[in-house]
Amino acid sequence: MNILKMHNMSWYIPFKYLRNKFRNYVYNKWQKLEKLGIVEVQIADHCNFSCYSCTHYSQIADKHFYDINVFEKDIKQLSKVMNSAVNQISIMGGEPLLNDRCKDYITIVRKYFPYSGIIVLSNGILLDKQSNDFWENLNKNDVYLNITKYPIKIDIEKIIDLCNKYKVHFDIYDGGSADGYVKESYSCSFDIEGKQDIKDSFEKCKAVCFQLTYGKFYVCPQAAYIKYFNNHFGTNLNITENDYINIYNSSKEEIFKYVKNPIPFCKYCVRPLRKLKIWKSSKKEIEEYLY
């Protein structure tokens, strides 16, 4: 069974939750990872938009950019450890285009991952304000531009024209190009007391949103950026050394093992996510995150 081939086939499935369900079925059935599907790198923690119960807490995050020197060191190490066993790297946020050096991060990723896919995931607000250098960089590095379709006014036709002009791969995230598409919100529900069964939470979550930040590799963004939640709401959802794996003292096999097992932080997560049917803006209140 070629796991990579099955993973690549999953991109023909239009909706993200169905893609993830298919991938996890394949991974769990054959119990072997030949490649990580997507590794996400957040180059701006904050955002110029405010989504209800954001899983990255970007609407309540401090203004912060991934230090580009540390970023290059981390990407180089990840490449060394994984030996190209990463299918795609997603450059995101927050909103990645808030980082004026976005194109430089792209160049770094391509330098160390010459054969992996690269995605830039954006809300699109700043896209038509980018320089020619940015668009040429997307083309040169064979980057997929992935826009999340929120109920906001952006000049999508201008963006499509720019993509065509510079021959940039373009898609709308999570099936958003379908007729009648309406962006939905989800509640990233927490049990503040941490009484959830970690195995049950992990199995229902089917975590595939792997995060790399400052030398640490996390199985999900909720654990990676929980400091913003704690700082904003005065809570103490605890992160331990067992909630992440350090890429500087771990092997590829250890990383594969890590992503297939629950972490202590799973005790806080109520899964599956609660769907709200329509997109909502955040009021930055803790109730958005409570089960």
Side-chain angles (χ1 to χ4, degrees), residues 8 11 20 38 52 62 67 69 80 110 147 150 154 165 171 181 191 195 210 215 249 255 262 265:
N8 289 339
W11 283 106
N20 291 344
I38 299 179
Y52 181 94
D62 298 332
D67 184 289
N69 297 312
K80 178 181 177 181
R110 180 54 75 213
I147 298 177
Y150 293 106
I154 59 174
K165 176 182 177 180
D171 197 8
Y181 172 84
D191 171 1
K195 295 182 177 180
F210 309 134
N249 55 24
I255 291 176
F265 188 83

Side-chain angles (χ1 to χ4, degrees), residues 15-219:
F15 297 103
K16 182 183 178 184
Y17 77 96
L18 290 176
R19 285 198 301 270
N20 291 344
K21 193 171 183 180
F22 173 81
R23 288 171 186 157
N24 282 295
Y25 169 77
V26 172
Y27 295 156
N28 291 336
K29 183 174 178 63
W30 279 273
Q31 290 296 306
K32 182 180 179 181
L33 274 172
E34 295 177 358
K35 276 197 174 187
L36 296 176
I38 299 179
V39 175
E40 298 179 350
V41 288
Q42 186 162 288
I43 67 171
D45 290 354
H46 56 299
C47 193
N48 53 357
F49 205 49
S50 184
C51 292
Y52 181 94
S53 195
C54 175
T55 56
H56 291 240
Y57 324 115
S58 297
Q59 86 282 28
I60 55 176
D62 298 332
K63 180 179 179 180
H64 177 77
F65 303 118
Y66 201 148
D67 184 289
I68 196 165
N69 297 312
V70 178
F71 178 83
E72 179 162 13
K73 182 182 175 184
D74 288 349
I75 291 294
K76 180 179 181 180
Q77 178 65 13
L78 184 68
S79 175
K80 178 181 177 181
V81 173
M82 297 309 295
N83 191 26
S84 299
V86 176
N87 196 48
Q88 293 186 333
I89 293 181
S90 181
I91 297 173
M92 59 188 306
E95 171 51 45
L97 296 186
L98 289 172
N99 191 322
D100 292 338
R101 299 191 66 181
C102 182
K103 65 183 179 64
D104 298 323
Y105 291 80
I106 293 169
T107 300
I108 290 168
V109 172
R110 180 54 75 213
K111 176 180 177 181
Y112 296 105
F113 286 90
Y115 306 113
S116 299
I118 300 177
I119 298 171
V120 171
L121 182 60
S122 171
N123 58 32
I125 294 173
L126 298 174
L127 268 173
D128 62 357
K129 299 175 177 63
Q130 299 305 303
S131 67
N132 293 339
D133 287 347
F134 170 81
W135 292 99
E136 290 169 355
N137 184 281
L138 294 185
N139 174 278
K140 176 182 177 182
N141 291 296
D142 196 26
V143 174
Y144 275 80
L145 180 59
N146 214 322
I147 298 177
T148 302
K149 191 177 180 181
Y150 293 106
I152 54 177
K153 290 183 178 180
I154 59 174
D155 193 341
I156 193 69
E157 294 302 323
K158 183 177 180 180
I159 292 169
I160 292 173
D161 287 343
L162 285 165
C163 289
N164 291 333
K165 176 182 177 180
Y166 291 95
K167 296 181 173 58
V168 171
H169 306 292
F170 170 79
D171 197 8
I172 297 180
Y173 182 71
D174 201 18
S177 57
D179 291 341
Y181 172 84
V182 178
K183 173 67 179 174
E184 297 175 331
S185 286
Y186 293 84
S187 175
C188 174
S189 302
F190 282 134
D191 171 1
I192 299 296
E193 296 182 358
K195 295 182 177 180
Q196 300 299 301
D197 181 274
I198 63 170
K199 289 185 66 176
D200 183 64
S201 291
F202 183 79
E203 287 301 314
K204 288 178 179 176
C205 181
K206 301 296 184 184
V208 292
C209 299
F210 309 134
Q211 308 291 314
L212 174 65
T213 179
Y214 289 90
K216 297 176 181 178
F217 191 91
Y218 292 83
V219 75

